[in-house]
Amino acid sequence: MSQRVACMVLTWTCMLAACHGHGITATRVDGGVGVVASYDDDGTPVSLSEVRLFAPDATDKPVLLAATDRNGCFMFRPDTSGVWRVTVDDGMGHVVTEELRFDGHVVAPERNTGRMPKRYGVLAGLALIFGIFGWSAFLRLNRTLRAKE
Amino acid sequence: MHISEGVLSGPVLASGAVLAVAGIGLGLRRMSVDNTPKTAMLSAVFFVASLIHVPFGPSNVHLILNGLSGVLLGWTVFPALAVALFLQAVMFQFGGLTVLGVNTLIMALPGMIAYHIFHLMYGIVRRPGRVFGVAVVLGAMAVLLSGLLLTAALALGGRAFLGVAAGIVAAHVPVMIADGVVTGAAVLFILKVRPDLLVPSRWEPAA
């Protein structure tokens, strides 16, 4: 039993590391300034949404409160070396955070683009749903049969 | 209509998780083997419906169908929606794992309310046209209640309730209409082909 619980906790922790953000995604454009463009999961720009900018030396308190433009973009010029954090919040519970490293010029860290294409995700999700509930039915039937024996 | 990671405070997340686990536990206890395929089907419908966006006026909408799931599943709506939300969080980063409890509660609780109202009304209203009307209202109402619960959760995180509520309700008016119509049509169809699916005593084990 304790092994099962430990396995579940480990799985949960691993998934937590890979899972963040909702329907908003953000892309970074690099150059002399930091630019973050945010989109809803259907590609609609997250326009006129609250932006919080966190400097490398002040990670708790934002150094700037602003808003994305009508194209979902926010641009700033860093003045301190380190990792700058930009949070875009559409006010309806959807938040995305992007990080940009400034080292004389803006460098976007290696981006994880391993997100599954939607159509494969849907198929995998459906398979998992029916698998989970089928497994649950099997366990219940098994338990009932054992109780009868 | 999901809340992202990092928006809500620890106590809100914990409360949501505890309530959702209680609902899931009750749902699992009431989920008979015979009822499992229906639960899986509605979980799959919820999972897919949230991912299909349909252009509607200046923006686009997607179905939620928590009202339909609630009407057809009763308490089992909790595990059905929890599984779908979990997979959406893991595969598409909709919501998240720490907010899974709150998101499950936001979606499933209105479904449960719709279930109770529907079965209260189903004993009184028997004509198909009226059943359709009740289902339309409940489908829309479930989305509205989800929006209000979402707003309440955000308000507990320190946001102004009325300002957020107005924005969320306004943004979801098209979803309410679409969900209401689809819920009504689905219930009407089920009433014609498998009316026993609408009678809980036929599929819920005795409490």
Side-chain angles (χ1 to χ4, degrees), chain A residues 90-109:
Chain A
D90 73 352
M92 290 198 272
H94 306 155
V95 177
V96 67
T97 300
E98 281 292 319
E99 290 184 345
L100 296 159
R101 175 172 289 282
F102 179 69
D103 213 0
H105 59 281
V106 175
V107 180

Side-chain angles (χ1 to χ4, degrees), chain A residues 12 15-16 19-22 41-42 89 91-95 115 118 121-122 124-126 128-130 133 136 140, chain B residues 2-4 7 28 31 36 39-40 44 47-48 51 53 60 86-87 89 91-95 97-98 159 168:
Chain A
W12 189 268
M15 285 177 167
L16 271 179
C19 183
H20 52 86
H22 157 359
D41 59 288
D42 60 353
D89 182 345
M92 290 198 272
H94 306 155
V95 177
R115 185 184 281 199
K118 205 177 230 181
V122 169
L126 290 177
L128 283 168
I129 286 171
F130 287 106
F133 284 103
S136 148
R140 280 162 186 264
Chain B
H2 306 75
I3 297 180
S4 303
V7 176
L28 287 176
M31 187 172 72
T36 304
T39 310
F47 175 75
V48 174
L51 300 171
H53 293 257
N60 53 50
F86 171 77
L87 291 173
M91 294 182 154
F92 304 111
Q93 286 77 50
F94 287 7
L97 295 183
T98 60
R159 298 178 192 222
I168 288 176

Side-chain angles (χ1 to χ4, degrees), chain A residues 40-140:
Chain A
D40 212 335
D41 59 288
D42 60 353
T44 312
V46 183
S47 54
L48 308 175
S49 293
E50 184 185 284
V51 174
R52 288 166 186 257
L53 177 65
F54 297 87
D57 51 354
T59 52
D60 293 337
K61 205 171 179 182
V63 292
L64 179 68
L65 291 175
T68 55
D69 66 11
R70 67 177 179 176
N71 297 312
C73 291
F74 166 70
M75 185 168 70
F76 68 103
R77 185 182 293 280
D79 56 4
T80 313
S81 292
V83 176
W84 290 73
R85 198 154 47 89
V86 181
T87 300
V88 181
D89 182 345
D90 73 352
M92 290 198 272
H94 306 155
V95 177
V96 67
T97 300
E98 281 292 319
E99 290 184 345
L100 296 159
R101 175 172 289 282
F102 179 69
D103 213 0
H105 59 281
V106 175
V107 180
E110 194 70 28
R111 189 174 180 79
N112 177 16
T113 54
R115 185 184 281 199
M116 187 184 287
K118 205 177 230 181
R119 77 183 83 153
Y120 298 136
V122 169
L123 289 175
L126 290 177
L128 283 168
I129 286 171
F130 287 106
I132 288 167
F133 284 103
W135 184 63
S136 148
F138 167 75
L139 286 180
R140 280 162 186 264

